Amino acid sequence: MKIVILERNSVGLDIDVERIRELGEVDIYPNTVTLEEVAERVKDADIVVSNKALMREESLKDAKNLKLICEFATGYDNVDIEYCKNRGILVCNVRNYSTAMVAQHSIAMALFLIEKLHYYDEYVKSGAYMAQSRFSHFDESFWELDGKICGIVGMGNIGRSVAKIAESFGCRVIFYSASGNSTCTDYERVDFDTLLEQSDVLSLHCPLSDRTRNLIDLAAMKKMKKSAVLINVARGPVVNSGDLYTALTEGEIAAAGLDVLEKEPITAENPLSRFTDSRRLIITPHMAWASLEARERCVDGVYRNIKNFIEGTPSNVVNG
C-alpha cells in the first residue's frame, strides 16, 4: 500500500509517526495547504492521512488508486463525504482521543476567568503586593463554582465529561440539545432561552451545523447573566466574534474563554484581537485537544484504522 501523510506536523514533532511505515510505503509531508499540493501528492496514493488539507473532487480526481482517507482528528469537515462515498473511498476518523483534555481545558479556562487569576498573578509580579502592608489582597471580586449552574450545549462525550467535573465542584448541570436528538437523561434538559438565562458558566461542546452556526450571537448574550462566563471549545463559528466583542465591551457578560475561532489563526480583522484584557477574555490557539497523551492516542488510532482496513475490517468509518 502507498500511504501519504499530508500534514505530519499537525500532531506535533514530539510525537512519533514512524510506526505507520510498518503498514506500507509511506511518504510524509510536514504540511500541505493548497488543492494543487494535495492533488500532486496523493495522485499515486492508496491511503491518505489528512487533517485540514481539503479532500475535494478537485484535489482527488486524479488519485485513481485512492481507497481510504484517515483523519488525524475526530472532525472531518475538510472531506467531501458525498464525493468520497460515490468514489468508494472510505473515510475514517479517530474518536474520543482528546475527550479528557478538552474537558480539562474547558474547566481550566473557566477557573482562570472566575478567579481573576491573571489579575492576581500580575498584582504580585508588578511589586504591588510587596509594597502593601496587609497580608491579603482581593480587590477584584471572584466567586465559587459550588452552588452555581453550569449550562452545556452538546451533551456528547466531552459535554458529559465537563458536566461530571462541574458536578464535582458542586455545580448543578443543565443542558440544551441543539439537534434535539440527545438521549441524555443524567442531567436536566432545558430550552435554549432557559439555558442562557440560568447559566453561570455556559460551555459549548456541539458540532458545527446550520443550527449551531452563530448560535451565540448578541441577542443570545443579552439573555445571559451579566456575571456569566462563556466557554467555547466546540467550533469557532458557533460564537459570533463581532457580537462577543460587543457583549464584552458593553458588559453583557462577564468573561469568555475561547480555544476556537471563526478563522484560524486569528486575523487582524477579528475584533477580539483588539480585546487585550485577560481578566475578561482568554484565547488559546486551538490547543485544547493537544495534550501529549491525546496526540499519542490520535496517531495510534490512525495506525489502527489503516491496519484494520488492510486486514479487511475497516474501523471508525464515517461514510460507510
Side-chain angles (χ1 to χ4, degrees):
M1 288 282 180
K2 175 68 176 293
I3 303 169
V4 176
I5 300 175
L6 291 174
E7 297 160 280
R8 183 262 176 275
N9 290 2
S10 68
V11 292
L13 297 180
D14 54 341
I15 302 297
D16 187 7
V17 303
E18 291 300 308
R19 184 184 179 196
I20 296 175
R21 293 191 187 277
E22 299 170 11
L23 304 175
E25 177 191 346
V26 181
D27 288 344
I28 298 178
Y29 298 94
N31 197 26
T32 302
V33 178
T34 67
L35 288 170
E36 292 76 18
E37 286 178 328
V38 174
E40 176 61 27
R41 293 171 180 181
V42 306
K43 63 183 180 182
D44 297 321
D46 296 292
I47 298 170
V48 169
V49 180
S50 181
N51 188 318
K52 299 297 183 185
L54 294 178
M55 303 285 101
R56 303 282 191 264
E57 180 176 2
E58 307 95 291
S59 54
L60 302 179
K61 62 184 179 181
D62 294 327
K64 304 302 183 184
N65 300 325
L66 187 58
K67 306 172 185 68
L68 175 69
I69 295 172
C70 285
E71 291 284 314
F72 264 150
T74 299
Y76 43 90
D77 298 348
N78 62 313
V79 181
D80 185 334
I81 292 294
E82 192 63 27
Y83 172 76
C84 289
K85 187 173 183 179
N86 292 337
R87 278 272 311 270
I89 301 169
L90 293 184
V91 180
C92 297
N93 66 350
V94 185
R95 301 168 191 175
N96 302 324
Y97 68 93
S98 63
T99 297
M101 186 60 233
V102 176
Q104 175 180 308
H105 192 75
S106 303
I107 296 297
M109 286 199 295
L111 291 172
F112 178 90
L113 294 164
I114 290 166
E115 296 189 20
K116 308 293 179 65
L117 294 182
H118 178 79
Y119 168 79
Y120 287 109
D121 181 56
E122 287 300 311
Y123 186 81
V124 173
K125 290 177 178 174
S126 70
Y129 182 45
M130 186 185 302
Q132 73 174 43
S133 57
R134 59 192 173 105
F135 78 96
S136 185
H137 175 80
F138 42 83
D139 286 7
E140 287 269 342
S141 299
F142 51 96
W143 44 272
E144 301 173 358
L145 280 173
D146 186 42
K148 301 303 191 296
I149 296 176
C150 177
I152 294 174
V153 179
M155 196 57 86
N157 290 327
I158 296 173
R160 289 171 189 258
S161 294
V162 170
K164 185 177 179 181
I165 298 170
E167 277 191 313
S168 74
F169 278 97
C171 288
R172 179 166 75 88
V173 175
I174 61 176
F175 79 97
Y176 167 72
S177 172
S179 68
N181 298 324
S182 177
T183 59
C184 178
T185 58
D186 296 329
Y187 303 100
E188 180 185 355
R189 181 171 167 177
V190 298
D191 61 42
F192 188 48
D193 281 353
T194 300
L195 183 91
L196 296 172
E197 292 163 2
Q198 293 191 3
S199 297
D200 295 292
V201 175
L202 178 56
S203 198
L204 308 178
H205 305 285
C206 53
L208 180 62
S209 69
D210 291 339
R211 285 186 290 264
T212 60
R213 189 179 298 275
N214 288 316
L215 180 71
I216 307 299
D217 58 8
L218 186 58
M221 285 180 274
K222 283 186 174 182
K223 295 177 182 178
M224 295 171 65
K225 297 178 181 180
K226 293 190 181 299
S227 58
V229 171
L230 173 68
I231 303 296
N232 186 17
V233 295
R235 289 289 184 266
V238 174
V239 176
N240 184 294
S241 290
D243 286 359
L244 176 57
Y245 178 84
T246 300
L248 289 170
T249 55
E250 296 183 0
E252 296 295 346
I253 64 172
L258 311 175
D259 186 58
V260 289
L261 297 161
E262 290 149 314
K263 186 173 182 181
E264 297 169 345
I266 193 170
T267 64
E269 289 72 33
N270 189 326
L272 295 177
S273 67
R274 303 190 295 275
F275 196 99
T276 58
D277 184 355
S278 295
R279 295 171 300 176
R280 301 191 59 219
L281 176 67
I282 178 173
I283 302 175
T284 52
H286 204 143
M287 46 68 71
W289 64 278
S291 66
L292 181 67
E293 297 91 340
R295 288 181 288 121
E296 287 175 341
R297 286 191 293 267
C298 181
V299 172
D300 183 63
V302 168
Y303 173 89
R304 285 185 282 107
N305 283 342
I306 296 173
K307 187 173 186 291
N308 290 343
F309 173 79
I310 292 172
E311 293 175 351
T313 56
S315 54
N316 298 314
V317 177
V318 300
N319 68 334

